């Protein structure tokens, strides 16, 4: 019975040992309505009523297996992947409640992920002028440089905060596969309209990534 523009508040109460994974509000001719969480009551939500009826849906997950992030919905196409890397300790959130799934990944993040996947082997030194001691990526960068997994970005810099392209990521993963003695058989990029835009130094790696479904 709410009018257009009214604030509609509601509370979702999960069973014991479950948490609210995601809440959606949908209007047939409007689409998804933005839902806000009440910061003072974690299971309470509100939205601004559109000029039509809405459907409110809640998704639950076992507390032991759920993610703490409020920006990774259970219905998201990347939910399983985020849960995998979080449970394995490969990736953390940008804060306790935020994973930032749409944020741009950096070279420092990528090298840290691979270092964790490799078991966090110790490596000393910084190697690069822009890599300080005591940062989350310091040992990871030293390890990657020692094992030729990620090269510097020039002028004795690593570029820890620089964004990474798809072909650069493919090369890094390709080198990591070599480091781990995985198969590095490559294949042609025939069939992709932009295959001719792949840099010569990345063709083998891109072919390997495509061949292996990476």
């Amino acid at each position: 019975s709410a009018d257009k523009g009214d604030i509609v508040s509601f509370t979702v109460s999960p069973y014991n040992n479950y948490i609210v994974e995601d809440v959606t509000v949908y209007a047939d001719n409007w689409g998804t309505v933005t839902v806000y969480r009440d910061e003072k009551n974690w299971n309470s939500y509100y939205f601004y009523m559109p000029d039509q009826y809405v459907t409110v849906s809640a998704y639950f997950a076992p507390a032991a297996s759920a993610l703490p992030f409020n920006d990774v919905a259970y219905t998201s196409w990347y939910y399983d992947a985020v849960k995998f890397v979080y449970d394995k300790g490969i990736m953390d959130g940008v804060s306790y409640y935020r994973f930032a799934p749409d944020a741009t990944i950096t070279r420092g993040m990528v090298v840290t992920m691979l270092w964790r996947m490799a078991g966090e082997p110790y490596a000393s030194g910084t190697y690069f002028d822009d890599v300080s001691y005591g940062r989350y990526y310091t040992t990871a960068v030293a390890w990657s440089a020692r094992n030729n997994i990620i090269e510097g970005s020039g002028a004795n810099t690593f570029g820890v905060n620089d964004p990474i392209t798809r072909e650069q990521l493919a090369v890094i993963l390709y080198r990591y596969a070599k480091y781990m003695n995985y198969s590095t058989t490559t294949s042609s990029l025939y069939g992709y309209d932009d295959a001719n835009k792949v840099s010569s130094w990345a063709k083998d790696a891109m072919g390997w990534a495509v061949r292996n479904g990476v």
Side-chain angles (χ1 to χ4, degrees):
S1 62
D3 294 326
K4 179 182 178 181
D6 285 353
I7 296 178
V8 180
S9 301
F10 60 96
T11 299
V12 182
S13 300
Y15 288 136
N16 289 336
N17 299 320
Y18 278 79
I19 68 164
V20 179
E21 188 67 47
D22 189 32
V23 171
T24 61
V25 176
Y26 186 83
D28 287 341
N29 298 321
W30 182 295
T32 302
V33 179
T34 302
V35 180
Y36 303 91
R37 189 190 294 268
D38 185 343
E39 295 182 359
K40 296 181 180 179
N41 187 345
W42 195 242
N43 285 332
S44 294
Y45 304 82
Y46 66 93
F47 64 93
Y48 293 92
M49 187 70 182
D51 59 351
Q52 56 191 283
Y53 290 114
V54 299
T55 300
V56 179
S57 302
Y59 301 88
F60 304 91
S65 63
L67 290 169
F69 311 119
N70 58 27
D71 58 354
V72 180
Y74 184 69
T75 53
S76 300
W77 60 268
Y78 46 76
Y79 178 88
D80 288 343
V82 172
K83 189 173 188 314
F84 177 84
V85 296
Y86 178 75
D87 288 347
K88 297 291 185 182
I90 298 172
M91 295 183 73
D92 300 320
V94 297
S95 67
Y96 184 78
Y97 291 116
R98 288 188 62 240
F99 185 80
D102 296 318
T104 300
I105 201 164
T106 65
R107 289 166 57 86
M109 294 176 185
V110 170
V111 71
T112 301
M113 290 160 51
L114 295 179
W115 173 68
R116 289 172 176 171
M117 289 169 59
E120 302 186 5
Y122 176 74
S124 60
T126 61
Y127 290 86
F128 303 101
D129 294 339
D130 60 343
V131 177
S132 304
Y133 285 100
R135 304 302 299 271
Y136 76 88
Y137 48 72
T138 303
T139 304
V141 170
W143 164 79
S144 71
R146 178 176 296 177
N147 292 284
N148 194 35
I149 294 173
I150 304 182
E151 297 177 349
S153 58
N156 204 40
T157 59
F158 185 83
V160 287
N161 295 317
D162 292 346
I164 198 163
T165 66
R166 287 165 59 87
E167 68 175 7
Q168 289 171 351
L169 180 61
V171 169
I172 292 167
L173 295 178
Y174 181 65
R175 290 176 175 174
Y176 177 77
K178 286 185 175 181
Y179 167 80
M180 297 295 293
N181 293 318
Y182 297 153
S183 171
T184 52
T185 303
T186 187
S187 64
S188 171
L189 294 174
Y190 177 78
Y192 292 98
D193 294 338
D194 57 353
N196 63 332
K197 295 182 180 179
V198 177
S199 302
S200 58
W201 48 265
K203 285 188 180 296
D204 285 346
M206 290 290 281
W208 164 83
V210 169
R211 178 186 177 92
N212 290 278
V214 177

